Amino acid sequence: MIKLYIVSGMSGAGKSQALKIFEDFGFVCVDNMPIRMVADFIDICLKNSVRYKNVAISVDSRAGESLISFKNMLIVFKKKNIGYKIIFFNASDSVLLRRYSETRRRHPLGKSVSEGIKLERKIVDKIFTVADEVIDTSDLTIGELKKVISVLAGIQRSGKQYLNISVLSFGYKYGLPNNADIVYDVRFIANPNYVHVLKFKTGRDEAVRKYIEKQKEFRDFFNMFSKLIETTLTGYIKEGKSYLTIAIGCTGGQHRSVFTAEKLAAFLKSRKYKVKLNHRDILWHNN
């Protein structure tokens, strides 16, 4: 059985952001699908219900005159016994005007923004009148919008499960990672590289772990660092962030950063976060 959500509403009211949220939840999403193609697309979904189990499509004023056949499309769904829910995103005119002013975007209908909003309300009224849910985003944050959509989509997740965390170790001598949101330097820790029996090991080896953990500076640091990261993550979740990369660097990316990344990843997993661990430069040591 396909779970189908039809996303529509006013331009600037959050439709595109809603599709991104559905996509984060594992839905197959298609933006601005022409009305005449919807029926054929649904047939494809029915033939591959495993791949297209959860689907969200956007239909809005960009469809133009073809919106006249919107209700006919719904009749086709009913004939094919396809369950669907129409979610209409709305916001006050003053909020829409402000958002367009902040982004400096033109209205998709090619009018002045105020004229475009007025005309668009008339066009999408056909969808508004049959919507199952109307979400007013005038005062919603991204985090709050994500919670609203998760409830409508029947997705039961804790706030922590919305955030996909990547913990990355790296060596400064090979350059900073391009995709990091948070970068922390652990080169203040005594370097195992200068201990002969540890030089050719990595932060994943027990001997290196013991060498680093016995340092009071590291123990004090990690206690504060882990609490700081945990506090920060709470704020990111509230703001609706879906992906976060925490990069931890040392000189070569073999010892100190590797061990700290391993320890941080384990700490976050113990707090029920979704964590992916990657050591970017550890192979450099072995080649």
Side-chain angles (χ1 to χ4, degrees):
M1 178 67 70
I2 297 175
K3 183 185 289 187
L4 173 64
Y5 289 87
I6 303 171
V7 175
S8 189
M10 296 293 294
S11 300
K15 302 189 309 299
S16 296
Q17 188 61 52
L19 279 184
K20 291 178 183 177
I21 293 172
F22 272 112
E23 195 167 43
D24 288 341
F25 289 156
F27 279 67
V28 174
C29 299
V30 182
D31 186 25
N32 191 26
M33 175 168 283
I35 299 291
R36 65 180 181 276
M37 295 178 62
V38 173
D40 290 337
F41 174 70
I42 294 302
D43 286 338
I44 293 174
C45 295
L46 290 172
K47 291 177 182 178
N48 190 354
S49 58
V50 175
R51 171 71 177 85
Y52 297 99
K53 183 178 180 180
N54 299 313
V55 178
I57 63 174
S58 169
V59 176
D60 52 50
S61 62
R62 291 172 292 178
E65 294 182 357
S66 65
L67 275 181
I68 296 173
S69 60
F70 180 77
K71 292 184 179 179
N72 293 333
M73 178 186 73
L74 302 182
I75 293 173
V76 171
F77 289 166
K78 291 178 180 178
K79 287 182 178 179
K80 294 186 177 184
N81 197 30
I82 296 173
Y84 64 86
K85 182 171 285 188
I86 302 172
I87 306 177
F88 190 95
F89 290 86
N90 204 357
S92 66
D93 287 2
S94 61
V95 169
L96 294 176
L97 283 167
R98 188 191 74 230
R99 289 175 180 172
Y100 271 100
S101 176
E102 290 173 349
T103 59
R104 298 183 180 181
R105 293 180 57 222
R106 63 187 291 275
H107 197 279
L109 295 182
K111 307 282 184 179
S112 69
V113 174
S114 58
E115 290 177 343
I117 291 172
K118 185 177 180 180
L119 177 59
E120 187 174 35
R121 288 204 183 279
K122 293 180 180 178
I123 293 174
V124 298
D125 185 64
K126 298 178 181 64
I127 303 176
F128 177 78
T129 55
V130 296
D132 298 291
E133 300 285 347
V134 176
I135 300 175
D136 191 317
T137 65
S138 298
D139 299 312
L140 290 182
T141 66
I142 298 299
E144 291 169 338
L145 178 60
K146 182 168 286 189
K147 289 180 181 179
V148 170
I149 292 176
S150 70
V151 171
L152 291 177
I155 298 170
Q156 301 299 321
R157 293 185 183 178
S158 67
K160 294 179 179 180
Q161 295 303 303
Y162 293 140
L163 184 61
N164 296 279
I165 303 171
S166 176
V167 177
L168 170 72
S169 73
F170 72 97
Y172 277 95
K173 69 193 302 183
Y174 304 117
L176 287 166
N178 295 323
N179 61 336
D181 298 290
I182 299 172
V183 178
Y184 210 90
D185 184 347
V186 293
R187 287 178 291 185
F188 68 91
I189 302 168
N191 195 347
N193 186 64
Y194 298 116
V195 179
H196 180 70
V197 295
L198 303 179
K199 184 178 180 66
F200 297 105
K201 296 183 183 294
T202 75
R204 292 185 294 188
D205 291 305
E206 182 65 22
V208 174
R209 292 200 295 267
K210 288 181 177 180
Y211 177 84
I212 294 175
E213 281 200 310
K214 74 179 182 181
Q215 299 179 40
K216 182 178 184 300
E217 293 84 356
F218 175 80
R219 296 196 302 272
D220 291 344
F221 152 74
F222 192 81
N223 183 49
M224 292 184 288
F225 179 55
S226 58
K227 289 179 180 177
L228 175 63
I229 292 296
E230 189 171 25
T231 301
T232 303
L233 296 182
T234 301
Y236 280 127
I237 291 171
K238 185 177 180 181
E239 289 301 308
K241 192 171 182 65
S242 299
Y243 299 93
L244 182 76
T245 298
I246 304 171
I248 301 171
C250 64
T251 304
Q254 307 300 319
H255 300 101
R256 296 165 291 179
S257 63
V258 170
F259 173 69
T260 306
E262 293 265 347
K263 193 171 179 65
L264 179 63
F267 170 80
L268 294 176
K269 288 178 181 179
S270 73
R271 297 300 194 271
K272 308 303 181 185
Y273 283 100
K274 293 166 57 179
V275 182
K276 181 179 179 181
L277 178 63
N278 182 38
H279 300 301
R280 191 193 72 177
D281 298 323
I282 203 168
L283 293 179
W284 286 91
H285 182 85
N286 297 323
N287 291 334

